[in-house]
Amino acid sequence: WFFVCLMVETLFFMQVVAENMLGDKKVTVVFVLGGPGSGKGTQCSNIVEHFGFTHLSAGDLLRAEIKSGSENGTMIENMIKEGKIVPSEVTIKLLQQAMIKNENDKFLIDGFPRNEENRAAFENVTKISPAFVLFFNCSEEEMERRLLGRNEGRVDDNIETIRKRFKVFVESSLPVIEYYDAKDKVKKIDAAKPIPEVFEDVKAIFAPYAKVIV
Ligand code: ADP
Ligand code: C5P
Ligand code: MG
């Protein structure tokens, strides 16, 4: 009996302190960060194809939430138009739901965490910490050119909002990258190069996560 109890207790303890658990699955999360227009979404599609991750873009989830007619829709839309960061509880709930719904255990979380509040709240709520942070480094001049040429009909791809988004990136998002850099978790990529060249560098980083062919 003693050993049975010990076992049960140990298992219970492991469950409680277990990190990176989502329900009963252990997940690998990579945060994909970089300024607006640095190419996060573009490269995430490539990573999905080659390395079997599921791509969750925080911005895409927020835009889908607006379209769904949610009660938060108007608030989210106004924040996006202004380039402001939506309160964490909204974004984290969307990310959590998307991860639970998906059978995969490897996720690229793109465009999140965008500020210190995003980062701390995600850590506290989910107990998930990223395997690493992929950081796409690109000049504002190049990012501006890309955003103005994106043509996806986005309400925030206009020069006025772009300037605001750059300011938010420098003031609120770069400190998050510095936080992870101090933990040696940042893998920085030169994102100013052409798409295939950027992906060569990305591939080298994801090699340990290559799909195993049995
Ligand atoms: P993000 O998700 O970081 O905002 P996107 O992946 O949506 O950026 O890319 C923004 C725009 O720039 C898109 O039109 C995309 O096709 C283009 N783009 C992405 N990467 C590059 C690159 N390396 N060189 C030139 N254009 C790029
Ligand atoms: O990443 P993306 O460019 O799609 O984000 C568009 C906008 O969505 C941001 O400028 C911001 O207003 C909102 N957003 C947010 N919180 C995040 C990610 C995006 O508020 N974590
Ligand atoms: Mg994007």
Side-chain angles (χ1 to χ4, degrees):
W1 259 116
F2 173 75
F3 286 104
V4 172
C5 289
L6 194 69
M7 281 283 281
V8 169
E9 196 142 85
T10 307
L11 284 172
F12 179 72
F13 183 69
M14 282 165 65
Q15 195 70 31
V16 168
V17 297
E19 298 243 305
N20 288 12
M21 294 299 292
L22 195 76
D24 54 9
K25 76 177 164 181
K26 188 167 173 69
V27 293
T28 300
V29 163
V30 173
F31 288 150
V32 182
L33 302 177
S38 57
K40 300 182 292 296
T42 303
Q43 296 298 333
C44 281
S45 302
N46 288 334
I47 300 166
V48 165
E49 210 176 294
H50 286 74
F51 299 101
F53 277 72
T54 291
H55 175 208
L56 299 177
S57 155
D60 286 351
L61 289 169
L62 290 168
R63 284 182 287 273
E65 187 69 359
I66 298 172
K67 277 206 184 134
S68 78
S70 123
E71 56 175 341
N72 284 321
T74 315
M75 179 273 290
I76 299 171
E77 192 168 20
N78 288 332
M79 305 283 286
I80 288 181
K81 273 184 194 153
E82 286 299 311
K84 290 183 182 158
I85 298 169
V86 173
S88 301
E89 51 171 44
V90 174
T91 318
I92 290 172
K93 199 159 82 194
L94 294 172
L95 287 168
Q96 258 183 325
Q97 283 170 350
M99 284 195 284
I100 289 166
K101 220 168 53 187
N102 200 293
E103 279 179 18
N104 204 347
D105 58 359
K106 297 189 289 182
F107 296 95
L108 299 169
I109 299 193
D110 156 6
F112 183 99
R114 275 279 222 288
N115 62 9
E116 177 59 21
E117 193 223 356
N118 272 185
R119 183 199 64 72
F122 186 84
E123 220 164 84
N124 291 335
V125 172
T126 69
K127 310 288 177 210
I128 294 171
S129 49
F132 60 89
V133 174
L134 191 62
F135 169 40
F136 290 112
N137 191 40
C138 194
S139 70
E140 286 191 1
E141 191 191 15
E142 173 64 15
M143 293 193 291
E144 183 182 305
R145 199 169 20 245
R146 292 180 190 175
L147 292 173
L148 292 174
R150 180 150 61 181
N151 270 324
E152 286 178 2
R154 279 177 52 164
V155 293
D156 54 349
D157 280 349
N158 58 79
I159 192 63
E160 199 186 328
T161 312
I162 288 170
R163 298 252 154 86
K164 291 179 183 166
R165 289 155 74 198
F166 285 165
K167 192 166 165 1
V168 168
F169 177 71
V170 172
E171 287 175 2
S172 304
S173 309
L174 273 181
V176 173
I177 293 161
E178 279 157 17
Y179 169 90
Y180 286 115
D181 199 28
K183 294 178 173 275
D184 259 341
K185 281 207 167 187
V186 175
K187 298 189 190 291
K188 184 173 173 177
I189 298 261
D190 176 5
K193 297 191 282 188
I195 295 172
E197 288 177 34
V198 176
F199 190 54
E200 282 307 309
D201 296 345
V202 169
K203 262 200 279 199
I205 289 167
F206 278 85
Y209 297 88
K211 287 183 201 166
V212 180
I213 300 159
V214 186

